[in-house]
PDB file of all heavy atoms in Angstrom:
ATOM      1  N   ALA A 920      33.289  66.632 142.816  1.00 97.00           N
ATOM      2  CA  ALA A 920      34.285  65.728 143.378  1.00 97.00           C
ATOM      3  C   ALA A 920      34.411  64.538 142.430  1.00 97.00           C
ATOM      4  O   ALA A 920      33.456  64.129 141.829  1.00 97.00           O
ATOM      5  CB  ALA A 920      33.858  65.262 144.764  1.00 97.00           C
ATOM      6  N   LYS A 921      35.632  63.972 142.314  1.00 97.00           N
ATOM      7  CA  LYS A 921      35.830  62.815 141.416  1.00 97.00           C
ATOM      8  C   LYS A 921      36.658  61.744 142.155  1.00 97.00           C
ATOM      9  O   LYS A 921      37.520  62.061 142.983  1.00 97.00           O
ATOM     10  CB  LYS A 921      36.521  63.261 140.158  1.00 97.00           C
ATOM     11  CG  LYS A 921      35.674  64.088 139.240  1.00 97.00           C
ATOM     12  CD  LYS A 921      36.368  64.359 137.905  1.00 97.00           C
ATOM     13  CE  LYS A 921      35.451  65.151 136.963  1.00 97.00           C
ATOM     14  NZ  LYS A 921      36.081  65.413 135.679  1.00 97.00           N
ATOM     15  N   LEU A 922      36.376  60.481 141.847  1.00 98.00           N
ATOM     16  CA  LEU A 922      37.106  59.375 142.410  1.00 98.00           C
ATOM     17  C   LEU A 922      37.145  58.246 141.369  1.00 98.00           C
ATOM     18  O   LEU A 922      36.083  57.867 140.820  1.00 98.00           O
ATOM     19  CB  LEU A 922      36.474  58.938 143.685  1.00 98.00           C
ATOM     20  CG  LEU A 922      37.215  57.814 144.451  1.00 98.00           C
ATOM     21  CD1 LEU A 922      38.589  58.312 144.949  1.00 98.00           C
ATOM     22  CD2 LEU A 922      36.386  57.379 145.714  1.00 98.00           C
ATOM     23  N   ALA A 923      38.338  57.671 141.148  1.00 98.00           N
ATOM     24  CA  ALA A 923      38.493  56.609 140.175  1.00 98.00           C
ATOM     25  C   ALA A 923      38.581  55.245 140.883  1.00 98.00           C
ATOM     26  O   ALA A 923      39.101  55.166 141.991  1.00 98.00           O
ATOM     27  CB  ALA A 923      39.692  56.824 139.311  1.00 98.00           C
ATOM     28  N   PHE A 924      38.101  54.222 140.170  1.00 97.00           N
ATOM     29  CA  PHE A 924      38.086  52.873 140.712  1.00 97.00           C
ATOM     30  C   PHE A 924      38.527  51.930 139.607  1.00 97.00           C
ATOM     31  O   PHE A 924      38.055  52.008 138.496  1.00 97.00           O
ATOM     32  CB  PHE A 924      36.643  52.527 141.197  1.00 97.00           C
ATOM     33  CG  PHE A 924      36.493  51.066 141.555  1.00 97.00           C
ATOM     34  CD1 PHE A 924      37.010  50.605 142.747  1.00 97.00           C
ATOM     35  CD2 PHE A 924      35.753  50.201 140.762  1.00 97.00           C
ATOM     36  CE1 PHE A 924      36.818  49.297 143.126  1.00 97.00           C
ATOM     37  CE2 PHE A 924      35.558  48.891 141.100  1.00 97.00           C
ATOM     38  CZ  PHE A 924      36.077  48.405 142.301  1.00 97.00           C
ATOM     39  N   GLU A 925      39.439  50.988 139.916  1.00 97.00           N
ATOM     40  CA  GLU A 925      39.950  50.084 138.922  1.00 97.00           C
ATOM     41  C   GLU A 925      39.331  48.682 139.171  1.00 97.00           C
ATOM     42  O   GLU A 925      39.339  48.167 140.316  1.00 97.00           O
ATOM     43  CB  GLU A 925      41.477  50.010 138.935  1.00 97.00           C
ATOM     44  CG  GLU A 925      42.084  51.258 138.385  1.00 97.00           C
ATOM     45  CD  GLU A 925      43.581  51.081 138.016  1.00 97.00           C
ATOM     46  OE1 GLU A 925      44.167  50.111 138.532  1.00 97.00           O
ATOM     47  OE2 GLU A 925      44.107  51.875 137.269  1.00 97.00           O
ATOM     48  N   LEU A 926      38.844  48.117 138.107  1.00 97.00           N
ATOM     49  CA  LEU A 926      38.197  46.788 138.180  1.00 97.00           C
ATOM     50  C   LEU A 926      38.858  45.813 137.227  1.00 97.00           C
ATOM     51  O   LEU A 926      39.144  46.183 136.045  1.00 97.00           O
ATOM     52  CB  LEU A 926      36.709  46.924 137.772  1.00 97.00           C
ATOM     53  CG  LEU A 926      35.924  45.644 137.611  1.00 97.00           C
ATOM     54  CD1 LEU A 926      35.605  45.066 139.010  1.00 97.00           C
ATOM     55  CD2 LEU A 926      34.617  45.891 136.864  1.00 97.00           C
ATOM     56  N   THR A 927      39.131  44.620 137.629  1.00 97.00           N
ATOM     57  CA  THR A 927      39.750  43.607 136.788  1.00 97.00           C
ATOM     58  C   THR A 927      38.677  42.523 136.503  1.00 97.00           C
ATOM     59  O   THR A 927      38.064  41.983 137.423  1.00 97.00           O
ATOM     60  CB  THR A 927      40.947  42.959 137.444  1.00 97.00           C
ATOM     61  OG1 THR A 927      41.961  43.960 137.686  1.00 97.00           O
ATOM     62  CG2 THR A 927      41.545  41.856 136.612  1.00 97.00           C
ATOM     63  N   VAL A 928      38.496  42.265 135.204  1.00 97.00           N
ATOM     64  CA  VAL A 928      37.635  41.160 134.794  1.00 97.00           C
ATOM     65  C   VAL A 928      38.508  39.988 134.453  1.00 97.00           C
ATOM     66  O   VAL A 928      39.393  40.084 133.577  1.00 97.00           O
ATOM     67  CB  VAL A 928      36.746  41.533 133.577  1.00 97.00           C
ATOM     68  CG1 VAL A 928      35.930  40.340 133.109  1.00 97.00           C
ATOM     69  CG2 VAL A 928      35.883  42.710 133.879  1.00 97.00           C
ATOM     70  N   LYS A 929      38.358  38.909 135.185  1.00 96.00           N
ATOM     71  CA  LYS A 929      39.203  37.725 135.003  1.00 96.00           C
ATOM     72  C   LYS A 929      38.992  37.124 133.581  1.00 96.00           C
ATOM     73  O   LYS A 929      37.920  37.245 132.954  1.00 96.00           O
ATOM     74  CB  LYS A 929      38.892  36.641 136.035  1.00 96.00           C
ATOM     75  CG  LYS A 929      39.217  37.043 137.461  1.00 96.00           C
ATOM     76  CD  LYS A 929      38.868  35.957 138.395  1.00 96.00           C
ATOM     77  CE  LYS A 929      39.185  36.297 139.871  1.00 96.00           C
ATOM     78  NZ  LYS A 929      38.864  35.217 140.796  1.00 96.00           N
ATOM     79  N   PRO A 930      40.033  36.431 133.061  1.00 95.00           N
ATOM     80  CA  PRO A 930      39.892  35.768 131.759  1.00 95.00           C
ATOM     81  C   PRO A 930      38.826  34.700 131.789  1.00 95.00           C
ATOM     82  O   PRO A 930      38.506  34.138 132.833  1.00 95.00           O
ATOM     83  CB  PRO A 930      41.281  35.229 131.495  1.00 95.00           C
ATOM     84  CG  PRO A 930      42.184  35.939 132.407  1.00 95.00           C
ATOM     85  CD  PRO A 930      41.372  36.310 133.601  1.00 95.00           C
ATOM     86  N   GLU A 931      38.352  34.415 130.631  1.00 91.00           N
ATOM     87  CA  GLU A 931      37.343  33.298 130.539  1.00 91.00           C
ATOM     88  C   GLU A 931      38.000  32.011 130.925  1.00 91.00           C
ATOM     89  O   GLU A 931      39.082  31.674 130.436  1.00 91.00           O
ATOM     90  CB  GLU A 931      36.812  33.211 129.120  1.00 91.00           C
ATOM     91  CG  GLU A 931      35.721  32.205 128.914  1.00 91.00           C
ATOM     92  CD  GLU A 931      35.175  32.154 127.501  1.00 91.00           C
ATOM     93  OE1 GLU A 931      35.779  32.810 126.645  1.00 91.00           O
ATOM     94  OE2 GLU A 931      34.167  31.479 127.279  1.00 91.00           O
ATOM     95  N   PRO A 932      37.388  31.237 131.810  1.00 88.00           N
ATOM     96  CA  PRO A 932      37.997  29.970 132.223  1.00 88.00           C
ATOM     97  C   PRO A 932      38.051  28.995 131.062  1.00 88.00           C
ATOM     98  O   PRO A 932      37.136  28.907 130.246  1.00 88.00           O
ATOM     99  CB  PRO A 932      37.041  29.475 133.325  1.00 88.00           C
ATOM    100  CG  PRO A 932      35.750  30.191 133.125  1.00 88.00           C
ATOM    101  CD  PRO A 932      36.119  31.520 132.486  1.00 88.00           C
ATOM    102  N   VAL A 933      39.197  28.339 130.908  1.00 82.00           N
ATOM    103  CA  VAL A 933      39.408  27.359 129.849  1.00 82.00           C
ATOM    104  C   VAL A 933      39.032  25.975 130.337  1.00 82.00           C
ATOM    105  O   VAL A 933      39.554  25.518 131.362  1.00 82.00           O
ATOM    106  CB  VAL A 933      40.902  27.351 129.357  1.00 82.00           C
ATOM    107  CG1 VAL A 933      41.070  26.356 128.246  1.00 82.00           C
ATOM    108  CG2 VAL A 933      41.247  28.786 128.856  1.00 82.00           C
ATOM    109  N   GLU A 934      38.149  25.313 129.635  1.00 76.00           N
ATOM    110  CA  GLU A 934      37.752  23.976 130.009  1.00 76.00           C
ATOM    111  C   GLU A 934      38.752  22.957 129.513  1.00 76.00           C
ATOM    112  O   GLU A 934      39.055  22.914 128.349  1.00 76.00           O
ATOM    113  CB  GLU A 934      36.344  23.650 129.485  1.00 76.00           C
ATOM    114  CG  GLU A 934      35.255  24.499 130.090  1.00 76.00           C
ATOM    115  CD  GLU A 934      33.853  24.061 129.591  1.00 76.00           C
ATOM    116  OE1 GLU A 934      33.809  23.014 128.896  1.00 76.00           O
ATOM    117  OE2 GLU A 934      32.907  24.745 129.907  1.00 76.00           O
ATOM    118  N   GLU A 935      39.278  22.183 130.420  1.00 73.00           N
ATOM    119  CA  GLU A 935      40.234  21.146 130.039  1.00 73.00           C
ATOM    120  C   GLU A 935      39.457  19.983 129.396  1.00 73.00           C
ATOM    121  O   GLU A 935      38.420  19.604 129.885  1.00 73.00           O
ATOM    122  CB  GLU A 935      41.025  20.631 131.260  1.00 73.00           C
ATOM    123  CG  GLU A 935      41.925  21.742 131.858  1.00 73.00           C
ATOM    124  CD  GLU A 935      42.730  21.181 133.028  1.00 73.00           C
ATOM    125  OE1 GLU A 935      42.611  19.973 133.271  1.00 73.00           O
ATOM    126  OE2 GLU A 935      43.434  21.981 133.650  1.00 73.00           O
ATOM    127  N   PRO A 936      40.063  19.428 128.230  1.00 72.00           N
ATOM    128  CA  PRO A 936      39.359  18.336 127.623  1.00 72.00           C
ATOM    129  C   PRO A 936      39.294  17.123 128.565  1.00 72.00           C
ATOM    130  O   PRO A 936      40.240  16.805 129.277  1.00 72.00           O
ATOM    131  CB  PRO A 936      40.214  18.014 126.403  1.00 72.00           C
ATOM    132  CG  PRO A 936      41.585  18.565 126.715  1.00 72.00           C
ATOM    133  CD  PRO A 936      41.283  19.748 127.590  1.00 72.00           C
ATOM    134  N   ALA A 937      38.198  16.493 128.512  1.00 70.00           N
ATOM    135  CA  ALA A 937      37.984  15.293 129.376  1.00 70.00           C
ATOM    136  C   ALA A 937      38.829  14.138 128.880  1.00 70.00           C
ATOM    137  O   ALA A 937      39.094  13.999 127.674  1.00 70.00           O
ATOM    138  CB  ALA A 937      36.520  14.917 129.438  1.00 70.00           C
ATOM    139  N   ASP A 938      39.286  13.289 129.789  1.00 69.00           N
ATOM    140  CA  ASP A 938      40.049  12.097 129.384  1.00 69.00           C
ATOM    141  C   ASP A 938      39.190  11.185 128.536  1.00 69.00           C
ATOM    142  O   ASP A 938      37.994  11.001 128.816  1.00 69.00           O
ATOM    143  CB  ASP A 938      40.486  11.343 130.642  1.00 69.00           C
ATOM    144  CG  ASP A 938      41.512  12.137 131.439  1.00 69.00           C
ATOM    145  OD1 ASP A 938      42.190  12.950 130.794  1.00 69.00           O
ATOM    146  OD2 ASP A 938      41.564  11.939 132.682  1.00 69.00           O
ATOM    147  N   PRO A 939      39.755  10.650 127.414  1.00 72.00           N
ATOM    148  CA  PRO A 939      38.911   9.779 126.561  1.00 72.00           C
ATOM    149  C   PRO A 939      38.486   8.518 127.340  1.00 72.00           C
ATOM    150  O   PRO A 939      39.215   7.996 128.147  1.00 72.00           O
ATOM    151  CB  PRO A 939      39.879   9.421 125.440  1.00 72.00           C
ATOM    152  CG  PRO A 939      41.234   9.636 125.985  1.00 72.00           C
ATOM    153  CD  PRO A 939      41.125  10.753 126.948  1.00 72.00           C
ATOM    154  N   GLU A 940      37.304   8.101 127.040  1.00 74.00           N
ATOM    155  CA  GLU A 940      36.779   6.946 127.705  1.00 74.00           C
ATOM    156  C   GLU A 940      37.420   5.671 127.128  1.00 74.00           C
ATOM    157  O   GLU A 940      37.476   5.469 125.918  1.00 74.00           O
ATOM    158  CB  GLU A 940      35.274   6.872 127.599  1.00 74.00           C
ATOM    159  CG  GLU A 940      34.540   7.968 128.382  1.00 74.00           C
ATOM    160  CD  GLU A 940      33.028   7.744 128.352  1.00 74.00           C
ATOM    161  OE1 GLU A 940      32.604   6.707 127.853  1.00 74.00           O
ATOM    162  OE2 GLU A 940      32.346   8.667 128.869  1.00 74.00           O
ATOM    163  N   ILE A 941      37.934   4.803 127.970  1.00 72.00           N
ATOM    164  CA  ILE A 941      38.442   3.534 127.527  1.00 72.00           C
ATOM    165  C   ILE A 941      37.348   2.490 127.624  1.00 72.00           C
ATOM    166  O   ILE A 941      36.780   2.279 128.676  1.00 72.00           O
ATOM    167  CB  ILE A 941      39.653   3.095 128.436  1.00 72.00           C
ATOM    168  CG1 ILE A 941      40.747   4.181 128.355  1.00 72.00           C
ATOM    169  CG2 ILE A 941      40.209   1.756 128.044  1.00 72.00           C
ATOM    170  CD1 ILE A 941      41.883   3.992 129.311  1.00 72.00           C
ATOM    171  N   PRO A 942      37.081   1.882 126.437  1.00 70.00           N
ATOM    172  CA  PRO A 942      35.985   0.843 126.492  1.00 70.00           C
ATOM    173  C   PRO A 942      36.311  -0.257 127.465  1.00 70.00           C
ATOM    174  O   PRO A 942      37.426  -0.769 127.489  1.00 70.00           O
ATOM    175  CB  PRO A 942      35.887   0.366 125.058  1.00 70.00           C
ATOM    176  CG  PRO A 942      37.186   0.725 124.444  1.00 70.00           C
ATOM    177  CD  PRO A 942      37.660   1.939 125.125  1.00 70.00           C
ATOM    178  N   GLN A 943      35.335  -0.614 128.236  1.00 72.00           N
ATOM    179  CA  GLN A 943      35.552  -1.659 129.236  1.00 72.00           C
ATOM    180  C   GLN A 943      35.425  -3.020 128.603  1.00 72.00           C
ATOM    181  O   GLN A 943      34.451  -3.284 127.882  1.00 72.00           O
ATOM    182  CB  GLN A 943      34.553  -1.463 130.369  1.00 72.00           C
ATOM    183  CG  GLN A 943      34.777  -2.362 131.581  1.00 72.00           C
ATOM    184  CD  GLN A 943      33.876  -2.037 132.710  1.00 72.00           C
ATOM    185  OE1 GLN A 943      33.045  -1.141 132.574  1.00 72.00           O
ATOM    186  NE2 GLN A 943      34.003  -2.725 133.781  1.00 72.00           N
ATOM    187  N   GLN A 944      36.435  -3.883 128.839  1.00 69.00           N
ATOM    188  CA  GLN A 944      36.399  -5.226 128.296  1.00 69.00           C
ATOM    189  C   GLN A 944      35.418  -6.082 129.070  1.00 69.00           C
ATOM    190  O   GLN A 944      35.342  -5.996 130.316  1.00 69.00           O
ATOM    191  CB  GLN A 944      37.815  -5.882 128.401  1.00 69.00           C
ATOM    192  CG  GLN A 944      38.854  -5.178 127.579  1.00 69.00           C
ATOM    193  CD  GLN A 944      38.578  -5.255 126.074  1.00 69.00           C
ATOM    194  OE1 GLN A 944      38.007  -6.257 125.631  1.00 69.00           O
ATOM    195  NE2 GLN A 944      38.886  -4.225 125.335  1.00 69.00           N
ATOM    196  N   PRO A 945      34.670  -6.901 128.318  1.00 67.00           N
ATOM    197  CA  PRO A 945      33.702  -7.795 129.077  1.00 67.00           C
ATOM    198  C   PRO A 945      34.477  -8.802 129.885  1.00 67.00           C
ATOM    199  O   PRO A 945      35.574  -9.214 129.528  1.00 67.00           O
ATOM    200  CB  PRO A 945      32.903  -8.436 127.961  1.00 67.00           C
ATOM    201  CG  PRO A 945      33.785  -8.346 126.744  1.00 67.00           C
ATOM    202  CD  PRO A 945      34.568  -7.093 126.880  1.00 67.00           C
ATOM    203  N   ASP A 946      33.936  -9.173 130.962  1.00 67.00           N
ATOM    204  CA  ASP A 946      34.563 -10.136 131.865  1.00 67.00           C
ATOM    205  C   ASP A 946      34.715 -11.481 131.068  1.00 67.00           C
ATOM    206  O   ASP A 946      33.783 -11.926 130.394  1.00 67.00           O
ATOM    207  CB  ASP A 946      33.736 -10.357 133.098  1.00 67.00           C
ATOM    208  CG  ASP A 946      33.732  -9.111 133.977  1.00 67.00           C
ATOM    209  OD1 ASP A 946      34.682  -8.303 133.805  1.00 67.00           O
ATOM    210  OD2 ASP A 946      32.787  -8.949 134.813  1.00 67.00           O
ATOM    211  N   THR A 947      35.910 -12.108 131.175  1.00 62.00           N
ATOM    212  CA  THR A 947      36.193 -13.400 130.528  1.00 62.00           C
ATOM    213  C   THR A 947      35.738 -14.509 131.473  1.00 62.00           C
ATOM    214  O   THR A 947      36.155 -14.546 132.620  1.00 62.00           O
ATOM    215  CB  THR A 947      37.671 -13.578 130.208  1.00 62.00           C
ATOM    216  OG1 THR A 947      38.049 -12.450 129.365  1.00 62.00           O
ATOM    217  CG2 THR A 947      37.918 -14.905 129.430  1.00 62.00           C
ATOM    218  N   PRO A 948      34.845 -15.397 130.987  1.00 63.00           N
ATOM    219  CA  PRO A 948      34.378 -16.461 131.903  1.00 63.00           C
ATOM    220  C   PRO A 948      35.587 -17.371 132.266  1.00 63.00           C
ATOM    221  O   PRO A 948      36.456 -17.647 131.415  1.00 63.00           O
ATOM    222  CB  PRO A 948      33.321 -17.160 131.099  1.00 63.00           C
ATOM    223  CG  PRO A 948      33.619 -16.854 129.692  1.00 63.00           C
ATOM    224  CD  PRO A 948      34.246 -15.490 129.672  1.00 63.00           C
ATOM    225  N   GLU A 949      35.589 -17.852 133.440  1.00 62.00           N
ATOM    226  CA  GLU A 949      36.659 -18.760 133.899  1.00 62.00           C
ATOM    227  C   GLU A 949      36.538 -20.117 133.177  1.00 62.00           C
ATOM    228  O   GLU A 949      35.478 -20.623 132.965  1.00 62.00           O
ATOM    229  CB  GLU A 949      36.550 -18.991 135.377  1.00 62.00           C
ATOM    230  CG  GLU A 949      36.874 -17.734 136.208  1.00 62.00           C
ATOM    231  CD  GLU A 949      36.845 -18.041 137.699  1.00 62.00           C
ATOM    232  OE1 GLU A 949      36.679 -19.232 138.013  1.00 62.00           O
ATOM    233  OE2 GLU A 949      36.965 -17.129 138.488  1.00 62.00           O
ATOM    234  N   THR A 950      37.793 -20.600 132.707  1.00 59.00           N
ATOM    235  CA  THR A 950      37.840 -21.867 132.004  1.00 59.00           C
ATOM    236  C   THR A 950      37.960 -23.020 133.009  1.00 59.00           C
ATOM    237  O   THR A 950      38.809 -22.975 133.892  1.00 59.00           O
ATOM    238  CB  THR A 950      39.053 -21.990 131.070  1.00 59.00           C
ATOM    239  OG1 THR A 950      39.017 -20.814 130.207  1.00 59.00           O
ATOM    240  CG2 THR A 950      39.087 -23.257 130.259  1.00 59.00           C
ATOM    241  N   PRO A 951      37.006 -23.942 132.916  1.00 59.00           N
ATOM    242  CA  PRO A 951      37.052 -25.036 133.923  1.00 59.00           C
ATOM    243  C   PRO A 951      38.320 -25.872 133.777  1.00 59.00           C
ATOM    244  O   PRO A 951      38.857 -25.997 132.692  1.00 59.00           O
ATOM    245  CB  PRO A 951      35.801 -25.867 133.627  1.00 59.00           C
ATOM    246  CG  PRO A 951      35.480 -25.540 132.199  1.00 59.00           C
ATOM    247  CD  PRO A 951      35.930 -24.134 131.965  1.00 59.00           C
ATOM    248  N   ASP A 952      38.790 -26.350 134.912  1.00 59.00           N
ATOM    249  CA  ASP A 952      40.031 -27.223 134.849  1.00 59.00           C
ATOM    250  C   ASP A 952      39.744 -28.459 134.027  1.00 59.00           C
ATOM    251  O   ASP A 952      38.728 -29.121 134.159  1.00 59.00           O
ATOM    252  CB  ASP A 952      40.431 -27.619 136.280  1.00 59.00           C
ATOM    253  CG  ASP A 952      40.882 -26.489 137.100  1.00 59.00           C
ATOM    254  OD1 ASP A 952      41.271 -25.450 136.499  1.00 59.00           O
ATOM    255  OD2 ASP A 952      40.811 -26.538 138.320  1.00 59.00           O
ATOM    256  N   THR A 953      40.772 -28.829 133.140  1.00 55.00           N
ATOM    257  CA  THR A 953      40.650 -30.054 132.278  1.00 55.00           C
ATOM    258  C   THR A 953      41.478 -31.158 132.933  1.00 55.00           C
ATOM    259  O   THR A 953      42.548 -30.907 133.536  1.00 55.00           O
ATOM    260  CB  THR A 953      41.173 -29.773 130.887  1.00 55.00           C
ATOM    261  OG1 THR A 953      42.511 -29.312 130.933  1.00 55.00           O
ATOM    262  CG2 THR A 953      40.309 -28.744 130.163  1.00 55.00           C
ATOM    263  N   PRO A 954      40.933 -32.379 132.788  1.00 57.00           N
ATOM    264  CA  PRO A 954      41.682 -33.486 133.463  1.00 57.00           C
ATOM    265  C   PRO A 954      43.096 -33.574 132.829  1.00 57.00           C
ATOM    266  O   PRO A 954      43.269 -33.421 131.623  1.00 57.00           O
ATOM    267  CB  PRO A 954      40.841 -34.693 133.156  1.00 57.00           C
ATOM    268  CG  PRO A 954      39.794 -34.273 132.160  1.00 57.00           C
ATOM    269  CD  PRO A 954      39.708 -32.790 132.146  1.00 57.00           C
ATOM    270  N   GLY A 955      44.067 -33.845 133.663  1.00 55.00           N
ATOM    271  CA  GLY A 955      45.454 -33.923 133.232  1.00 55.00           C
ATOM    272  C   GLY A 955      45.729 -35.136 132.357  1.00 55.00           C
ATOM    273  O   GLY A 955      45.043 -36.166 132.458  1.00 55.00           O
ATOM    274  N   THR A 956      46.703 -35.032 131.477  1.00 52.00           N
ATOM    275  CA  THR A 956      47.141 -36.176 130.651  1.00 52.00           C
ATOM    276  C   THR A 956      48.089 -37.041 131.442  1.00 52.00           C
ATOM    277  O   THR A 956      49.009 -36.520 132.035  1.00 52.00           O
ATOM    278  CB  THR A 956      47.822 -35.632 129.378  1.00 52.00           C
ATOM    279  OG1 THR A 956      46.961 -34.720 128.718  1.00 52.00           O
ATOM    280  CG2 THR A 956      48.196 -36.797 128.444  1.00 52.00           C
ATOM    281  N   PRO A 957      47.833 -38.344 131.432  1.00 55.00           N
ATOM    282  CA  PRO A 957      48.722 -39.214 132.217  1.00 55.00           C
ATOM    283  C   PRO A 957      50.135 -39.118 131.697  1.00 55.00           C
ATOM    284  O   PRO A 957      50.374 -38.935 130.491  1.00 55.00           O
ATOM    285  CB  PRO A 957      48.146 -40.622 132.023  1.00 55.00           C
ATOM    286  CG  PRO A 957      47.294 -40.543 130.793  1.00 55.00           C
ATOM    287  CD  PRO A 957      46.779 -39.123 130.670  1.00 55.00           C
ATOM    288  N   ASP A 958      51.061 -39.222 132.605  1.00 55.00           N
ATOM    289  CA  ASP A 958      52.461 -39.198 132.258  1.00 55.00           C
ATOM    290  C   ASP A 958      52.837 -40.405 131.343  1.00 55.00           C
ATOM    291  O   ASP A 958      52.357 -41.521 131.561  1.00 55.00           O
ATOM    292  CB  ASP A 958      53.359 -39.248 133.485  1.00 55.00           C
ATOM    293  CG  ASP A 958      53.149 -37.954 134.335  1.00 55.00           C
ATOM    294  OD1 ASP A 958      52.705 -36.947 133.777  1.00 55.00           O
ATOM    295  OD2 ASP A 958      53.438 -38.027 135.587  1.00 55.00           O
ATOM    296  N   ALA A 959      53.695 -40.086 130.372  1.00 53.00           N
ATOM    297  CA  ALA A 959      54.148 -41.201 129.498  1.00 53.00           C
ATOM    298  C   ALA A 959      55.100 -42.072 130.252  1.00 53.00           C
ATOM    299  O   ALA A 959      55.842 -41.611 131.103  1.00 53.00           O
ATOM    300  CB  ALA A 959      54.826 -40.609 128.265  1.00 53.00           C
ATOM    301  N   PRO A 960      55.096 -43.345 129.920  1.00 54.00           N
ATOM    302  CA  PRO A 960      56.028 -44.214 130.631  1.00 54.00           C
ATOM    303  C   PRO A 960      57.438 -43.896 130.321  1.00 54.00           C
ATOM    304  O   PRO A 960      57.751 -43.445 129.223  1.00 54.00           O
ATOM    305  CB  PRO A 960      55.649 -45.644 130.079  1.00 54.00           C
ATOM    306  CG  PRO A 960      55.011 -45.383 128.759  1.00 54.00           C
ATOM    307  CD  PRO A 960      54.325 -44.038 128.906  1.00 54.00           C
ATOM    308  N   VAL A 961      58.284 -44.035 131.327  1.00 49.00           N
ATOM    309  CA  VAL A 961      59.718 -43.706 131.215  1.00 49.00           C
ATOM    310  C   VAL A 961      60.415 -44.921 130.595  1.00 49.00           C
ATOM    311  O   VAL A 961      60.291 -46.044 131.077  1.00 49.00           O
ATOM    312  CB  VAL A 961      60.328 -43.349 132.545  1.00 49.00           C
ATOM    313  CG1 VAL A 961      61.793 -43.088 132.363  1.00 49.00           C
ATOM    314  CG2 VAL A 961      59.658 -42.138 133.137  1.00 49.00           C
ATOM    315  N   THR A 962      61.129 -44.724 129.534  1.00 49.00           N
ATOM    316  CA  THR A 962      61.836 -45.769 128.876  1.00 49.00           C
ATOM    317  C   THR A 962      63.338 -45.665 129.133  1.00 49.00           C
ATOM    318  O   THR A 962      63.828 -44.551 128.938  1.00 49.00           O
ATOM    319  CB  THR A 962      61.573 -45.783 127.357  1.00 49.00           C
ATOM    320  OG1 THR A 962      60.157 -45.775 127.156  1.00 49.00           O
ATOM    321  CG2 THR A 962      62.263 -46.927 126.658  1.00 49.00           C
ATOM    322  N   ASP A 963      63.851 -46.750 129.477  1.00 51.00           N
ATOM    323  CA  ASP A 963      65.298 -46.732 129.764  1.00 51.00           C
ATOM    324  C   ASP A 963      66.003 -46.726 128.446  1.00 51.00           C
ATOM    325  O   ASP A 963      65.851 -47.632 127.595  1.00 51.00           O
ATOM    326  CB  ASP A 963      65.718 -48.013 130.560  1.00 51.00           C
ATOM    327  CG  ASP A 963      67.167 -47.969 130.964  1.00 51.00           C
ATOM    328  OD1 ASP A 963      67.909 -46.990 130.542  1.00 51.00           O
ATOM    329  OD2 ASP A 963      67.538 -48.867 131.691  1.00 51.00           O
ATOM    330  N   PRO A 964      66.792 -45.641 128.136  1.00 50.00           N
ATOM    331  CA  PRO A 964      67.451 -45.599 126.835  1.00 50.00           C
ATOM    332  C   PRO A 964      68.467 -46.736 126.652  1.00 50.00           C
ATOM    333  O   PRO A 964      68.761 -47.179 125.543  1.00 50.00           O
ATOM    334  CB  PRO A 964      68.196 -44.222 126.883  1.00 50.00           C
ATOM    335  CG  PRO A 964      68.276 -43.844 128.303  1.00 50.00           C
ATOM    336  CD  PRO A 964      67.072 -44.554 128.994  1.00 50.00           C
ATOM    337  N   ALA A 965      68.901 -47.237 127.767  1.00 50.00           N
ATOM    338  CA  ALA A 965      69.878 -48.367 127.589  1.00 50.00           C
ATOM    339  C   ALA A 965      69.174 -49.685 127.393  1.00 50.00           C
ATOM    340  O   ALA A 965      69.770 -50.755 127.210  1.00 50.00           O
ATOM    341  CB  ALA A 965      70.764 -48.427 128.816  1.00 50.00           C
ATOM    342  N   GLY A 966      67.892 -49.620 127.481  1.00 47.00           N
ATOM    343  CA  GLY A 966      67.068 -50.833 127.288  1.00 47.00           C
ATOM    344  C   GLY A 966      67.088 -51.725 128.484  1.00 47.00           C
ATOM    345  O   GLY A 966      66.809 -52.879 128.431  1.00 47.00           O
TER     346      GLY A 966
END
């Protein structure tokens, strides 16, 4: 007696390239507030 059987071997899985690593920027320290410059006096152009 004879009997045939069909078998499928799946293709080799393809590994997708990993996303390139983006270098992480170091945290920028906060700049302290600087005292404001006093407003210049207003001069009347007409004098």
Side-chain angles (χ1 to χ4, degrees):
K921 291 186 177 181
L922 185 63
F924 172 74
E925 289 195 343
L926 172 75
T927 298
V928 177
K929 294 180 181 180
E931 182 178 10
V933 179
E934 293 185 7
E935 295 183 3
D938 294 333
E940 291 186 7
I941 301 173
Q943 189 174 1
Q944 296 295 328
D946 293 338
T947 305
E949 292 184 5
T950 305
D952 293 337
T953 56
T956 305
D958 295 337
V961 178
T962 307
D963 184 356

